[in-house]
Amino acid sequence: KFSIMYDTLDSMLKSDFNYRLNLLDWVVKNNPSGFASVFDYGLLYESHRVKFNLKQNYIIYFSILEKCEPLSSDEEKIIHSLINSKLNKREIDKLSEFLSFSKNEVFDLIENMKSSKIEQTDLRVENIMKNSKGFCIIDYDKCVFKQGEKK
């Protein structure tokens, strides 16, 4: 995956990039459940552009993640509803006989997100896929360490 970070009025690009590297390093070392495994990451290019007659610095970096599978239509609907608080565990239990996948995979994703030291601040269906362990978050660009967790 290729990612770009831009310097903005409210950010410090170098500091933000170091934070991102620190988070990816933690993921590589800890391989948290509910998140896609990261095998490698690093800086590709650093430069600037002129936008509105102002110089804006940017960094392009990469991360190599495990290969994951897309969600089925049913999985997308259930996860979308969970993310938007339209379903709770009891309702998923009731729907489970109609699902083409195990309800426990959904419960595991919820539990993994709660217990992880990092969180995805841009949680969307597009950021979730399946790996050999179940559902997993695949986008680390908007992940942060939870408050009070070691960085």
Side-chain angles (χ1 to χ4, degrees):
K1 177 181 182 204
F2 297 105
S3 302
I4 301 175
M5 295 180 77
Y6 292 99
D7 207 0
T8 62
L9 294 175
D10 61 343
S11 76
M12 302 287 290
L13 184 60
K14 290 281 191 186
S15 175
D16 291 350
F17 182 62
N18 286 333
Y19 181 90
R20 180 73 42 234
L21 293 180
N22 190 22
L23 188 134
L24 289 168
D25 189 56
W26 183 88
V27 171
V28 168
K29 289 177 182 171
N30 294 281
N31 197 20
S33 297
F35 291 82
S37 296
V38 176
F39 301 118
D40 198 9
Y41 60 89
L43 174 70
L44 284 175
Y45 188 70
E46 189 173 354
S47 190
H48 69 274
R49 66 181 183 175
V50 176
K51 186 175 180 181
F52 306 117
N53 292 327
L54 296 172
K55 178 179 160 187
Q56 183 180 37
N57 296 318
Y58 65 89
I59 291 174
I60 300 174
Y61 66 99
F62 73 94
S63 52
I64 300 173
L65 281 61
E66 70 178 300
K67 180 172 174 36
C68 296
E69 301 297 323
L71 302 178
S72 71
S73 177
D74 283 351
E75 292 166 337
E76 280 187 15
K77 289 174 189 170
I78 293 293
I79 291 174
H80 177 78
S81 294
L82 270 172
I83 290 170
N84 293 300
S85 301
K86 295 177 185 169
L87 286 178
N88 58 40
K89 284 186 175 185
R90 193 174 68 238
E91 293 167 322
I92 292 172
D93 248 348
K94 290 178 188 176
L95 292 171
S96 65
E97 66 185 271
F98 305 105
L99 299 176
S100 61
F101 58 95
S102 167
K103 68 181 180 189
N104 292 331
E105 291 180 70
V106 177
F107 295 154
D108 287 347
L109 175 66
I110 294 167
E111 193 54 41
N112 289 333
M113 288 190 309
K114 285 181 183 176
S115 65
S116 178
K117 294 183 185 301
I118 60 174
E119 67 180 317
Q120 169 56 268
T121 61
D122 184 28
L123 191 59
R124 300 178 282 135
V125 173
E126 297 84 5
N127 292 337
I128 299 173
M129 292 182 84
K130 289 186 80 169
N131 63 14
S132 61
K133 298 178 266 181
F135 297 116
C136 63
I137 294 171
I138 60 164
D139 186 359
Y140 290 97
D141 291 346
K142 299 285 183 176
C143 283
V144 296
F145 287 101
K146 288 182 179 174
Q147 192 166 7
E149 294 297 340
K150 184 181 178 197
K151 295 173 176 77

